[in-house]
């Protein structure tokens, strides 16, 4: 649904900005892994496409609020960073397919990099309500870009932090420590969100341990509703056929082993509809 939401609070979180917006309809329908599309620039702007953000938190206050986290990377996010309390924003959501949750209590490792970690906390809440154990692995290039470390320590049974420059936690990347964490906690499943190379690495580790991995991809989304086709990526279906699917509609959450990470940004020769795919793979 589309709502005009009032900005309730704005705050800086190290390298990031967090906006909490009153959006009752969206908050009511939200499930972990959903995202929102936010119009930027105001009524007279030439920036026509929305910006997509995973939801960090949802609360019942004021009929329902959603918070999203972002870094400034262009004119659209720079405009958002200048918003203040009582400003209004045009939001569409909740969008996409959420994370599937286990039926029975299991041990889950939640892996996040940069502000991709933001979406993992609603997942953790939902998992813990089902009796699941939650362990966090969070990382970034530097300490100021690790999001949610304190909250993860409060929520998780264990929290492992990594930075590439060694300024917080262990020096390295989340994929360097993930095998040890999976082995130590005897994980049954992995949930991850972050840049595509990180998701590729996390998926590789999970496959080596033969445990399921759910990834929320950070593909650029112009419309967020499946019309513009800017966020397509190759994903293997239940029938073994690769299709170019829309991250915003068929995703953003996918089974990690189904995403052809090495081919993201291309149309694989054997994909359905491509020269090597053809009708022989359609059935």
């Amino acid at each position: 649904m589309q709502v005009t939401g009032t900005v309730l609070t704005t705050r800086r979180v190290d390298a990031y900005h967090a906006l909490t917006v009153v959006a009752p309809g969206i908050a009511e329908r939200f499930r972990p892994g959903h995202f929102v599309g936010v119009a930027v620039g105001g009524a007279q702007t030439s920036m026509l496409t929305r910006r997509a953000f995973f939801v960090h938190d949802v609360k019942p206050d004021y009929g329902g609020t959603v918070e999203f986290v972002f870094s400034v990377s262009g004119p659209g996010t720079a405009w958002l960073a200048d918003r203040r309390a009582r400003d209004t924003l045009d939001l569409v959501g909740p969008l996409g397919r959420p994370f599937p949750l286990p039926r029975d209590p299991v041990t889950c490792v939640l892996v996040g990099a940069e502000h991709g970690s933001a979406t993992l906390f609603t997942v953790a809440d939902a998992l813990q309500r089902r009796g699941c154990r939650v362990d966090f692995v969070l990382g970034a290039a530097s300490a100021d870009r690790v999001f949610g470390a304190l909250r993860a320590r409060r929520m998780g049974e264990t929290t492992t932090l990594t930075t590439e420059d060694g300024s917080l936690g262990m020096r390295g990347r989340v994929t360097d420590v993930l095998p040890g964490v999976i082995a130590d906690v005897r994980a049954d499943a992995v949930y991850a969100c972050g840049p595509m190379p990180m998701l590729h690495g996390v998926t590789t580790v999970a496959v080596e341990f033969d445990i399921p991995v759910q990834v929320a991809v950070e593909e650029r989304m112009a419309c967020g509703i499946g019309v513009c086709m800017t966020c397509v990526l190759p994903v293997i279906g239940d029938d073994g056929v690769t299709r170019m699917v829309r991250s915003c509609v068929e995703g953003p959450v996918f089974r990690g082993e189904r995403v052809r990470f090495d081919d993201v940004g291309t149309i694989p020769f054997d994909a359905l509809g491509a020269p090597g795919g053809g009708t022989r793979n359609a059935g």
Side-chain angles (χ1 to χ4, degrees), residues 90-113:
D90 184 312
L91 286 79
V92 172
L95 299 172
R97 291 189 177 184
F99 281 102
L101 302 174
R103 296 179 181 177
D104 302 313
V106 295
T107 297
C108 301
V109 176
L110 276 55
V111 189

Side-chain angles (χ1 to χ4, degrees), residues 3-190:
V3 303
T4 299
T6 300
V7 176
L8 186 64
T9 63
T10 67
R11 60 192 178 101
R12 283 297 301 267
V13 187
D14 294 326
Y16 305 112
H17 298 264
L19 266 64
T20 300
V21 184
V22 178
I26 294 175
E28 179 184 2
R29 294 167 174 80
F30 171 79
R31 297 293 181 271
H34 278 149
F35 66 95
V36 292
V38 183
V40 299
Q44 305 302 317
T45 184
S46 61
M47 293 185 286
L48 301 180
T49 61
R50 294 177 181 268
R51 304 302 189 267
F53 303 103
F54 284 111
V55 174
H56 170 234
D57 210 357
V58 172
K59 293 181 179 178
D61 306 355
Y62 304 97
T65 66
V66 297
E67 181 179 74
F68 57 91
V69 177
F70 62 96
S71 60
V72 173
S73 58
T77 46
W79 180 87
L80 274 177
D82 286 336
R83 298 309 93 198
R84 296 295 178 262
R86 292 193 286 275
D87 287 345
T88 58
L89 289 176
D90 184 312
L91 286 79
V92 172
L95 299 172
R97 291 189 177 184
F99 281 102
L101 302 174
R103 296 179 181 177
D104 302 313
V106 295
T107 297
C108 301
V109 176
L110 276 55
V111 189
E114 306 285 339
H115 57 77
S117 304
T119 192
L120 297 178
F121 295 99
T122 57
V123 182
D125 281 334
L127 290 171
Q128 289 177 330
R129 286 196 297 269
R130 296 188 175 211
C132 295
R133 169 178 168 145
V134 170
D135 296 85
F136 284 94
V137 179
L138 306 180
S142 56
D144 64 323
R145 303 196 70 83
V146 176
F147 183 84
L150 292 178
R151 188 175 179 185
R153 284 170 170 155
R154 290 196 298 266
M155 295 182 68
E157 291 291 329
T158 66
T159 297
T160 304
L161 305 176
T162 70
T163 48
E164 294 178 29
D165 65 0
S167 55
L168 179 66
M170 302 179 66
R171 181 185 294 272
R173 300 179 178 179
V174 292
T175 47
D176 296 329
V177 301
L178 182 59
V181 173
I182 290 175
D184 289 345
V185 305
R186 298 182 179 180
D188 299 299
V190 173

Side-chain angles (χ1 to χ4, degrees), residues 197-217:
M198 168 267 201
L199 296 180
H200 190 183
V202 168
T203 296
T204 299
V205 173
V207 169
E208 290 173 354
F209 279 86
D210 194 27
I211 59 176
V213 53
Q214 300 287 341
V215 300
V217 300

